[in-house]
Amino acid sequence: MAGVEIAGSFAASLPDSCADTWRRATRHPFVTAVADGSLATGRFNVWIQQDNRFVEGLTRFIRELTAIAPEEDAAGLEAGLAALGAELELFEGYASREGIRLDVPALDMCASYVAFLRGLVGDDYSAALTAYYGCERAYLEAWTGVRARTGATGPYADWIENWTSEAFAAYVDWLGARLDVLAAGAGDDVKTRLVRVFERTVEFEVAFWDACLA
Ligand code: MP5
């Protein structure tokens, strides 16, 4: 059968399709500084403030995504949405312990990333799901790298645990599996577009860490 594809996962192949950008996002100097304990608290606090804003935006995005999702994906996405409540509590707990405000304006890169995600929902489900998968998989990979270096201990233990837990890894795998189902029925032109959406998402991840270090 000419042109038959190896039965690999489309989702699993996406990081390799933009290997350099993927490495810059998941091995970013911000992430390596978290891992080796050299990150200045002020930089971490900027990330807390901005990621809190990001997760608020992501909450809206997932609600919108769920509204256009096929029936078989809706319950899984709702579970992902429910997990964000606990995450926002982590941000609030940290902010009150450290005496930092969370009611700061979103930086441009944060607002543009959220606008990009929400814009894709108006575009089509597979593109929006691809971006969501990229966003979550980038955090799984980045924080797994931190955990490999430090274990789930130290000042960042809550965040390490949040993004490396078995439940989180299983959720990211599930998103990838749903994406594989869509990709299996898609033509090459659609898949090329999804690859581009994934890379664009990972570029936003790089920009997000950059802005928190700036
Ligand atoms: C995530 C995040 C992970 N919190 N922030 C950025 C900039 N990218 C990805 O998403 P979630 O939903 O918090 O696991």
Side-chain angles (χ1 to χ4, degrees):
M1 279 193 287
V4 85
E5 289 195 43
I6 305 196
S9 156
F10 173 75
S13 75
L14 287 168
D16 280 347
S17 70
C18 58
D20 181 53
T21 315
W22 181 252
R23 193 188 38 73
R24 286 197 292 128
T26 58
R27 299 279 180 267
H28 192 277
F30 189 103
V31 177
T32 49
V34 166
D36 68 21
S38 67
L39 187 71
T41 307
R43 299 292 96 205
F44 188 72
N45 290 351
V46 170
W47 173 78
I48 290 281
Q49 290 171 320
Q50 291 303 313
D51 213 52
N52 180 65
R53 284 288 183 231
F54 179 77
V55 172
E56 287 171 350
L58 198 65
T59 301
R60 288 183 207 107
F61 162 77
I62 302 170
R63 281 204 199 103
E64 291 159 357
L65 185 67
T66 308
I68 63 158
E71 196 53 39
E72 57 272 31
D73 291 5
L77 291 172
E78 275 159 19
L81 185 61
L84 292 188
E87 212 170 280
L88 287 170
E89 281 172 23
L90 275 182
F91 287 110
E92 279 156 26
Y94 178 91
S96 75
R97 281 194 307 279
E98 297 298 316
I100 59 167
R101 309 177 58 139
L102 288 178
D103 60 344
V104 298
L107 293 174
D108 279 353
M109 61 72 202
C110 177
S112 324
Y113 191 1
V114 171
F116 163 74
L117 292 170
R118 295 182 72 189
L120 288 173
V121 180
D123 197 349
D124 81 291
Y125 179 69
S126 60
L129 187 69
T130 299
Y132 184 32
Y133 172 69
C135 161
E136 298 290 15
R137 182 136 183 219
Y139 260 43
L140 174 63
E141 177 108 356
W143 289 95
T144 297
V146 175
R147 187 175 190 139
R149 172 114 190 217
T150 66
T153 58
Y156 308 114
D158 286 347
W159 318 103
I160 296 169
E161 182 56 30
N162 187 60
W163 285 299
T164 64
S165 70
E166 274 180 32
F168 180 64
Y171 183 62
V172 177
D173 282 349
W174 176 80
L175 288 174
R178 301 318 300 165
L179 184 54
D180 280 344
V181 170
L182 296 175
D188 284 347
D189 51 340
V190 172
K191 281 196 261 191
T192 301
R193 166 138 201 282
L194 298 184
V195 167
R196 182 67 198 121
V197 165
F198 184 86
E199 177 159 28
R200 189 80 195 94
T201 307
V202 182
E203 284 165 357
F204 275 112
E205 288 291 333
V206 176
F208 203 104
W209 295 126
D210 282 349
C212 294
L213 271 191

